[in-house]
Amino acid sequence: MTVTFGHAEGDGRAPFIPSEEWIEAFEAQATEDLYLRIKRYARARARLVAHAGRPIDEQYTNDLVQDAIGDTFDGVLAWDPERVTLERHLQCAIHSRTRHDYVHAIRFRQERIDLGTKKTLAEVETTLARARGEPEDASARVLAALHQLAARDPDVIEMLRLFGEQVIKKEDIVRETGWNTKRYQATRKRMLRLVQQLPNDVREAAMARA
Amino acid sequence: MSVRIDMTDKDKNVEILDAIYQEAALEAAEHGKSAPEDRPWAREVGKRVQARLAELRRNLVPAATPVAQAQPIRPSLLALGRDALLAKLDELIARLGTSVQYAHRNLEGLSDDDLRRLIDTLDPDLEP
């Protein structure tokens, strides 16, 4: 097993020299348990990228964590120990990277050409999905299946709708819906359970690659 | 305050899936189970992190101060022989009293120039 952290050498930037307090804060929070938690977080986030059709393996998950740590050491990602924990900082870095990779993979997929038909793969998939009477976009297929599962759960449907409106934080959802914390947490739990219950052909198409 | 922007259905799908997987990832971090191969990987990461922290600490240690070039010996001291230098040193010690401290107990080991520099250090107000 090779674990490396990227070194931003020769990129013209001034070398990052953190304070002794910064180093101490990093050392105090960087435990083996933290790495395990971050790895679990990264593995779940990697599944999002798999939805866009990008092949995802264990190395991709490892890279997510190692790059986040390496970029922090190099000062590419600024971490202020007084404002946020190291765990939250690394989660934000991985969130940002996976979201970028997801959007990039969707765009790339639109542009890949199937040499046999001279059509883009997206066009081929759209044609096949249309023939099957399914939503044409891979993400839409996942969400359609999720909505179907949640048909008798109006709170989960409402949560998904709010996500689509970029109302994502707990406090914003609670304010929009008037739910109390208990109802929010119960809805969140049911939603996550439904993700696990997605039909195999929908879920595994994305997650098996993760 | 959050600002909402009109989005296409595809954009909305991205937002919804991103939010779902964010929640799933937070849940996995908090309550999920690690794969057996994660522990040796975590140990390896820990070692690499410790090495980088040590490297960052080393970078904090100030660079060695450059060696200062010795000043030329004053002509008034250059004119004195060894006996005169030792007498001057005795006189200085008597004048400055207990405030004078120097490391050399046995002055026989010092050259004439060493003695001149010692006097120069002890009495910077000496005539040029």
Side-chain angles (χ1 to χ4, degrees):
Chain A
M1 177 191 338
T2 311
V3 174
T4 54
F5 300 136
H7 238 313
E9 281 174 357
D11 62 355
R13 292 161 54 97
F16 173 58
I17 302 175
S19 65
E20 181 63 38
E21 291 76 22
W22 189 98
I23 296 172
E24 276 174 12
F26 199 111
E27 196 164 40
Q29 295 179 48
T31 59
E32 207 172 293
D33 185 53
L34 173 88
Y35 307 137
L36 292 172
R37 289 162 62 89
I38 287 295
K39 177 81 180 277
R40 293 199 296 268
Y41 175 89
R43 190 176 278 134
R45 284 294 304 178
R47 288 174 185 149
L48 173 72
V49 184
H51 270 301
R54 175 172 162 172
I56 295 301
D57 56 13
E58 193 64 9
Q59 189 55 47
Y60 176 76
T61 309
N62 289 346
D63 286 347
L64 286 174
V65 179
Q66 288 159 210
D67 289 352
I69 295 173
D71 285 349
T72 305
F73 277 139
D74 289 339
V76 176
L77 294 173
W79 175 51
D80 182 352
E82 288 185 7
R83 291 185 59 196
V84 67
T85 63
L86 181 60
E87 180 170 10
R88 186 77 197 111
H89 165 78
L90 295 175
Q91 283 178 351
C92 286
I94 292 166
H95 177 266
S96 172
R97 160 98 178 264
T98 46
R99 188 187 163 100
H100 171 270
D101 287 352
Y102 173 61
V103 172
H104 179 81
I106 289 173
R107 286 206 190 120
F108 180 67
R109 199 164 131 129
Q110 300 291 327
E111 289 159 11
R112 271 184 298 179
I113 304 290
D114 182 295
L115 293 174
T117 61
K118 303 286 183 203
K119 286 180 175 177
T120 64
L121 287 185
E123 282 173 318
V124 173
E125 283 181 6
T126 300
T127 310
L128 290 174
R130 200 177 291 152
R132 290 195 298 259
E134 293 171 348
E136 292 162 13
D137 173 62
S139 307
R141 278 200 290 280
V142 175
L143 290 174
L146 205 52
H147 273 94
Q148 215 171 351
L149 284 172
R152 275 176 289 182
D153 195 332
D155 283 1
V156 170
I157 297 284
E158 177 63 359
M159 188 175 257
L160 293 175
R161 187 189 70 75
L162 289 171
F163 282 171
E165 301 291 327
Q166 288 182 303
V167 180
I168 290 158
K169 286 183 182 168
K170 178 190 164 189
E171 55 266 29
D172 294 335
I173 291 176
V174 165
R175 193 182 54 241
E176 286 279 334
T177 57
W179 297 344
N180 57 24
T181 301
K182 205 175 167 187
R183 188 169 170 186
Y184 164 83
Q185 281 169 345
T187 306
R188 178 177 177 270
K189 251 188 188 165
R190 290 201 304 281
M191 183 199 69
L192 293 176
R193 215 175 296 142
L194 289 181
V195 172
Q196 295 301 318
Q197 288 171 16
L198 280 169
N200 283 350
D201 59 334
V202 175
R203 192 162 70 99
E204 284 179 3
M207 294 190 184
R209 299 187 186 99
Chain B
M1 187 184 71
S2 61
V3 178
R4 293 189 195 177
I5 303 164
D6 285 340
M7 293 187 293
T8 64
D9 283 349
K10 273 191 177 177
D11 290 339
K12 276 191 183 178
N13 290 347
V14 170
E15 293 305 327
I16 295 171
L17 277 184
D18 185 42
I20 289 172
Y21 280 96
Q22 175 65 359
E23 294 301 317
L26 290 171
E27 187 71 17
E30 202 61 39
H31 303 294
K33 283 185 181 168
S34 292
E37 64 269 23
D38 288 350
R39 204 159 281 279
W41 168 85
R43 267 195 294 274
E44 198 59 36
V45 171
K47 280 184 202 163
R48 296 287 306 169
V49 164
Q50 284 306 320
R52 285 297 298 272
L53 289 171
E55 186 186 330
L56 291 172
R57 275 213 171 88
R58 279 196 299 275
N59 292 342
L60 286 179
V61 178
T65 324
V67 178
Q69 209 171 0
Q71 295 292 316
I73 297 171
R74 300 165 206 230
S76 59
L77 287 176
L78 273 177
L80 301 179
R82 187 168 187 88
D83 290 342
L85 288 169
L86 289 171
K88 193 155 189 72
L89 195 56
D90 285 343
E91 179 210 318
L92 258 176
I93 292 164
R95 179 155 58 87
L96 299 173
T98 51
S99 64
V100 175
Q101 290 184 356
Y102 56 92
H104 308 285
R105 292 184 176 206
N106 184 3
L107 297 177
E108 283 174 20
L110 295 183
S111 69
D112 291 359
D113 276 352
D114 289 338
L115 287 173
R116 292 184 180 107
R117 291 195 190 285
L118 178 60
I119 293 166
D120 193 52
T121 307
L122 291 175
D123 192 4
D125 300 331
L126 206 69
E127 62 185 89

